[in-house]
Amino acid sequence: MIDRYTTKEMNAIWSEENKFRTWLEVELAVCKVWNERGVIPSEAYDEICAKADFRIERINEIEEQVQHDVIAFVSAVAETVGKNGRYIHLGLTSSDVIDTASSLSLKRSLTVVDEKVVQLISAVNKRAEEFRYTPCAGRTHGIHGEPTTFGLKLMNWQYQLQRDRQRIALAIEQINYGKISGAVGTYAHCDPDLEKRVCDILGLRPALVSTQILQRDRHANILNTLALLGSALDRFATEIRHLQRTEVMEVLEPFGARQKGSSAMPHKRNPILCERISGMSRLLRGYALTGMENINLWHERDISHSSAERVVWPDAFHTICYMLSKMKTVVENLRVDTEKMKENLELTRGLVYSQRILLELVERFGMLREEAYAIVQENAMKCWQEKIPFCDLLLRDERVSSLVSETQLRSYFAPEYYFRWVDEVFSRFSDE
């Protein structure tokens, strides 16, 4: 990941140093079990625990010669131990170490992501409560539909993020597995009980069946989960971008006192954070495709997945963590122009109440639906074209005014009618 989008949380997990530390964590867990079984003498095991270490420079020197990173790692660690270094990697194949260590890193990364989603949900919920009853235009096809509240819009975001948390929990559950089953998964040199004990030490579960690797549907599920979360953030960012357009101007992302919007046009206040989030979500969807391509490997395994995973795993987690942090900043500092929302709601001169008029004519006054629809639509089209208030046009239409008094008709043009169940929707979240 380029420095611009690197996050300290993911650096701590995906750095080269920590990768080898996690490999060593697995190797030492295996040594512990061999020691428990009497295969590694206690003296030797104590020396391994005390001395086992590595220098990345030395690993790289050895890899330059052997062209195999795990062999280079094991050799470098063994050098730091001395003669008892011969017990390190006993009975293992490379993927026993790599895949079990990767499960630890992926699980830890998902836990960090989940914590950040919780923080974002909290920020969204706070702003939703703030604007629970703030009227704004609900839009379909980009066109005004009926009144809604900005708080209700935000609660919809929160609900989607809760579903993302459920997917993260499932991804953690499915990657919470290790494998110490040997070269093609037959336990020829490490029996199933050893695998179970090693996984217990590491806080993992043993895969019921594995080949030389853990099967990559688990890992693809993680990348799909991150892509779906990124797509949720993309959706929120796109909504903000639309609402910040000059013709709308209901919501604006934060803009610093010394921030500049354009090198040429000093007046520009562009939604760059939301645009950045939208752009980065495309990366996540691409990584998800790579994850699915990695599922299909030759026989018990090949390593066509390996090179791709070295890039997409850390990059995907850096990307989503960066996006979550930026979206939290946007939500917390979002400038909401409630007066502009009210002004825009009235922009169509009452057309947003057309369905209520239609239903009143049908339900209250017994008009056939086809007839009522034709009357309402006819007047609505006049409103669009002649820019005359919708209510005034209906009052001039004898087919309506003969049935409905002016006072009664005007009472239908009230946004509050549409907000009767807002509290019910908000209350559902306290029940979950």
Side-chain angles (χ1 to χ4, degrees), residues 167-348:
R167 285 186 282 265
I168 290 169
L170 178 61
I172 291 174
E173 179 188 330
Q174 292 191 347
I175 201 59
N176 193 37
Y177 284 83
K179 62 88 59 184
I180 309 291
S181 59
V184 293
T186 60
Y187 298 99
H189 309 290
C190 293
D191 61 73
D193 285 343
L194 182 139
E195 178 187 60
K196 183 178 185 307
R197 176 67 180 130
V198 170
C199 287
D200 283 344
I201 292 169
L202 297 171
L204 300 172
R205 300 171 65 186
L208 297 181
V209 183
S210 58
T211 59
Q212 190 154 330
I213 59 168
L214 289 171
Q215 277 49 68
R216 259 42 195 177
D217 59 289
R218 301 177 187 273
H219 309 76
N221 183 52
I222 290 172
L223 292 171
N224 284 333
T225 295
L226 298 185
L228 284 167
L229 175 56
S231 294
L233 302 183
D234 184 16
R235 176 190 168 222
F236 308 159
T238 300
E239 180 70 14
I240 293 168
R241 290 165 60 195
H242 277 309
L243 295 178
Q244 187 163 333
R245 287 180 297 125
T246 305
E247 295 84 357
V248 182
M249 290 294 283
E250 293 179 3
V251 167
L252 295 90
E253 72 170 42
F255 193 85
R258 302 185 68 180
Q259 187 172 336
K260 304 289 188 292
S262 166
S263 63
M265 298 168 284
H267 72 279
K268 294 301 290 297
R269 179 171 175 162
N270 304 323
I272 59 168
L273 295 178
C274 288
E275 289 174 337
R276 193 179 305 163
I277 288 167
S278 287
M280 295 179 80
S281 72
R282 299 166 190 170
L283 290 174
L284 291 173
R285 291 189 284 273
Y287 297 151
L289 178 58
T290 301
M292 287 185 284
E293 293 288 344
N294 282 345
I295 293 172
N296 183 23
L297 303 174
W298 287 17
H299 305 301
E300 278 56 59
R301 73 137 191 181
D302 59 54
I303 60 166
S304 60
H305 62 290
S306 175
S307 55
E309 288 169 354
R310 291 171 192 265
V311 176
V312 298
W313 287 352
D315 277 19
F317 280 105
H318 277 297
T319 298
I320 195 62
C321 274
Y322 181 92
M323 291 169 67
L324 285 164
S325 294
K326 290 302 176 185
M327 181 54 74
K328 180 172 174 283
T329 296
V330 169
V331 169
E332 288 177 336
N333 299 282
L334 202 62
R335 178 183 157 191
V336 180
D337 190 335
T338 58
E339 287 303 311
K340 187 64 174 176
M341 286 180 174
K342 182 180 177 182
E343 178 186 326
N344 284 345
L345 186 58
E346 297 168 354
L347 197 62
T348 57

Side-chain angles (χ1 to χ4, degrees), residues 378-390:
E378 179 184 323
N379 284 283
M381 294 305 106
K382 283 184 182 178
C383 178
W384 279 117
Q385 294 159 11
E386 300 177 17
K387 297 181 172 50
I388 298 171
F390 187 43

